Amino acid sequence: MRSECLFNDEKLHVSEVYHVVDGKQINIENKVELFRRLGREKKLFCPCGCGENVVLVAGPRNVRRQHFRLIGDRDGHRCEYEEESELSIASKGALKCWLENSVSTESPQVRYRVPICEVEDSDRRFEITFYESGSDFGVVYARLDSAIASKKIELVDEFAHTKVLVVAAKYNEDTDGQYPEYMIRIQRLQGYCAYLIMDEETPYEEIEMEISFYGKNLRGSWDIIPVICAPLSTYTLSRENDLFCNGNRILTLVETEQAAYNQKQQQEKEQIKREQERQKALDLKRKREAEERAKEEEARRLQLEEENRKREEARQERLAGEQKARIAQRERETGAYFERFPKIKAVYDILTRAAHIRGRFSSDQSDGRVRKYRMEFDIKECRLNKERHSIEIRGDSYSDKVLFYVAEEGFERLTRPGTGAAYGGVNCLGVSIEQIEALVQDCVELVWKDS
């Protein structure tokens, strides 16, 4: 469906053939005949520049909206025209009719797609969708906000004395809090955003236009602030081309809503500030309370540590006393034992003076045999075993261990340790104390610590 055609290399919009009466698109007498005749004479062409002819479709019963179509079947045509949506065609038709009814010119002449260079001293190629020269006022429509920004917006800023109303389709309004990049550009230039609320079949008297603006809230997202929404037919233009609705200047209404929005934002800002100050005071109170609790807990901890330290000192002192008593008791018992058995004491003294031992020792096997083998290691410790009447000689490793038994008066038997352990012994029965060292060295080889 085409809403425009080429005639004498000039684009004509289908809205040229009708006007609005009681909300209906009524074909204009003589205009319809003119366009039909031009179509029959093949003077109307497809706007894409393919050279194909078009004719007007504008029936008397309004079964279909007025539009242009290619002559004959499209198959085989070279046309590359991208058909315009019915919503776009209907929206432009509504805006054209509104402009005719709204300007202060007695006999308005509304033109379609007027290049800016025709109304301004400029070589720019931007086009005004509809322009009425008598009032020097134009309307720019775009179904998509991005189309407005990329092709139209500059003209409004650069040619300010030609007033232009920029209108977009309704679905461009809501950005779900996102920065409305393109519509903000429009807002900065004309002070607000205008949206048509309609679909393809909405009668003219039911079409509405909404005026709103965007504001950045304190959270950083963007709000849509509605100003007014009213039937398109109730919007008018003053002689100065200011937009009015029911006697109210739109810019004044916008300024009032902007002031109210800014006041609300300021109130929210102050509320947030008060809340932040309250929260800050609460946090400070909690911090001080936490610090006090921490001090109290630290004091209790230090007190508990001191009490534990004193108890531990007392326990260590008690244990040291008990250990000292046990050592003294063992020394007394060992002294008494050595007084009773002086020969094992002599052997013990000899072995504790030695630094190294080497000899041939026995080891009882599980099959009843006794194995003989040589051992040699550095002596690290000698332990007295009063029950077995023996001396345990230990070296650096676990395997460096020999049990050395002593037989003497009062303990005359040489005991054996059991399976696996290495052992040796010395029989001191009938031997004087002075002879014991020679007797020991006959059994093992010793290297003395001071040698």
Side-chain angles (χ1 to χ4, degrees):
M1 183 176 289
R2 292 164 176 77
S3 64
E4 57 188 21
C5 70
L6 285 177
F7 174 65
N8 290 337
D9 294 327
E10 181 179 348
K11 286 186 177 180
L12 300 178
H13 195 263
V14 73
S15 59
E16 296 279 348
V17 304
Y18 65 83
H19 54 196
V20 175
V21 178
D22 295 332
K24 300 177 181 178
Q25 294 178 186
I26 304 301
N27 294 335
I28 301 173
E29 184 181 2
N30 297 325
K31 276 288 186 78
V32 174
E33 289 84 355
L34 173 62
F35 274 73
R36 290 196 191 281
R37 179 175 58 81
L38 293 174
R40 288 194 301 271
E41 294 174 356
K42 296 188 177 181
K43 293 181 179 180
L44 302 180
F45 296 91
C46 178
C48 77
C50 66
E52 299 289 346
N53 292 110
V54 297
V55 294
L56 175 67
V57 177
R61 291 183 178 83
N62 278 342
V63 176
R64 300 185 68 188
R65 286 189 179 274
Q66 297 89 334
H67 65 279
F68 298 102
R69 66 171 172 79
L70 290 176
I71 296 177
D73 189 359
R74 179 168 179 170
D75 291 342
H77 288 298
R78 296 170 298 159
C79 178
E80 297 179 356
Y81 180 77
E82 293 185 8
E83 295 191 356
E84 192 172 359
S85 70
E86 291 191 25
L87 176 60
S88 180
I89 295 172
S91 299
K92 290 179 180 178
L95 289 172
K96 185 259 184 182
C97 294
W98 173 80
L99 185 58
E100 285 182 335
N101 295 331
S102 300
V103 295
S104 56
T105 308
E106 291 185 4
S107 299
Q109 298 295 319
V110 177
R111 297 169 56 200
Y112 174 62
R113 292 186 69 170
V114 178
I116 194 65
C117 61
E118 293 188 17
V119 298
E120 300 290 348
D121 184 16
S122 171
D123 59 356
R124 304 296 292 274
R125 297 302 301 169
F126 296 120
E127 294 178 330
I128 302 175
T129 308
F130 293 106
Y131 176 71
E132 205 288 309
S133 58
S135 59
D136 191 22
F137 188 88
V139 174
V140 172
Y141 172 79
R143 188 171 58 88
L144 299 175
D145 55 3
S146 57
I148 298 176
S150 60
K151 297 180 180 179
K152 311 288 185 181
I153 191 64
E154 292 86 350
L155 66 88
V156 183
D157 187 29
E158 294 185 22
F159 309 105
H161 72 270
T162 297
K163 288 210 171 182
V164 177
L165 174 64
V166 183
V167 182
K170 170 67 175 175
Y171 50 74
N172 294 293
E173 182 178 33
D174 189 6
T175 62
D176 194 24
Q178 180 58 267
Y179 170 57
E181 176 185 358
Y182 302 123
M183 298 310 300
I184 281 293
R185 296 179 186 178
I186 305 298
Q187 178 173 309
R188 287 170 181 166
L189 292 172
Q190 67 185 24
Y192 52 85
C193 298
Y195 302 94
L196 280 184
I197 303 176
M198 61 179 293
D199 58 31
E200 295 85 347
E201 301 298 330
T202 304
Y204 179 79
E205 70 272 14
E206 296 179 14
I207 296 173
E208 294 182 318
M209 185 163 71
E210 179 181 333
I211 305 297
S212 63
F213 65 91
Y214 296 91
K216 188 177 182 180
N217 58 41
L218 299 177
R219 297 177 299 280
S221 60
W222 290 81
D223 295 327
I224 304 168
I225 300 90
V227 177
I228 187 172
C229 184
L232 178 63
S233 59
T234 62
Y235 289 86
T236 58
L237 292 170
S238 69
R239 290 188 176 276
E240 293 76 24
N241 288 333
D242 286 334
L243 188 63
F244 279 72
C245 184
N246 295 323
N248 297 305
R249 183 171 176 264
I250 294 300
L251 278 175
T252 301
L253 295 178
V254 171
E255 291 168 358
T256 300
E257 291 297 329
Q258 284 177 332
Y261 178 77
N262 293 336
Q263 182 180 8
K264 181 180 177 181
Q265 291 293 299
Q266 183 62 31
Q267 290 173 349
E268 290 185 7
K269 183 177 180 180
E270 292 173 357
Q271 176 63 27
I272 291 174
K273 183 179 179 181
R274 289 193 296 270
E275 178 61 25
Q276 289 175 341
E277 291 175 350
R278 187 192 70 82
Q279 187 62 43
K280 184 178 179 180
L282 181 60
D283 291 342
L284 181 60
K285 178 182 178 183
R286 289 173 176 171
K287 181 180 178 181
R288 289 174 177 171
E289 291 175 350
E291 290 174 348
E292 289 298 322
R293 287 195 300 271
K295 289 180 181 179
E296 293 174 358
E297 291 174 0
E298 179 65 12
R300 286 195 295 270
R301 185 185 67 80
L302 293 175
Q303 181 180 0
L304 182 60
E305 286 184 353
E306 179 64 17
E307 292 174 354
N308 290 338
R309 185 186 64 80
K310 290 180 178 179
R311 282 196 294 270
E312 182 62 20
E313 288 180 351
R315 188 181 73 87
Q316 292 294 336
E317 185 176 354
R318 176 178 57 79
L319 292 176
E322 292 174 355
Q323 178 70 10
K324 186 177 181 181
R326 285 194 296 272
I327 292 173
Q329 179 63 27
R330 283 199 300 271
E331 289 177 349
R332 287 193 297 271
E333 291 175 355
T334 300
Y337 187 82
F338 282 154
E339 287 182 3
R340 181 180 175 187
F341 301 105
K343 293 180 180 179
I344 196 172
K345 180 179 184 306
V347 175
Y348 179 83
D349 291 340
I350 293 168
L351 293 175
T352 54
R353 286 192 295 110
H356 190 84
I357 186 171
R358 181 170 55 242
R360 189 175 178 84
F361 301 96
S362 301
S363 175
D364 294 345
Q365 304 301 299
S366 59
D367 59 1
R369 293 181 301 167
V370 177
R371 179 185 173 188
K372 299 284 187 177
Y373 58 94
R374 296 188 62 81
M375 291 182 63
E376 179 179 1
F377 56 87
D378 292 335
I379 298 175
K380 297 301 180 184
E381 182 183 14
C382 293
R383 294 182 181 179
L384 178 65
N385 188 325
K386 295 189 290 292
E387 293 180 359
R388 289 180 174 272
H389 205 68
S390 64
I391 301 167
E392 184 179 313
I393 308 168
R394 290 178 174 267
D396 289 322
S397 67
Y398 177 79
S399 60
D400 294 340
K401 183 173 72 173
V402 171
L403 298 177
F404 205 76
Y405 295 92
V406 178
E408 63 177 305
E409 289 75 9
F411 208 108
E412 299 178 356
R413 56 186 174 84
L414 290 174
T415 58
R416 296 163 68 171
T419 303
Y423 63 92
V426 58
N427 189 349
C428 298
L429 292 171
V431 179
S432 65
I433 296 297
E434 292 77 11
Q435 296 174 319
I436 289 177
E437 182 171 337
L439 186 61
V440 170
Q441 292 198 47
D442 286 341
C443 297
V444 294
E445 297 180 32
L446 299 175
V447 178
W448 308 110
K449 293 179 180 180
D450 54 356
S451 62

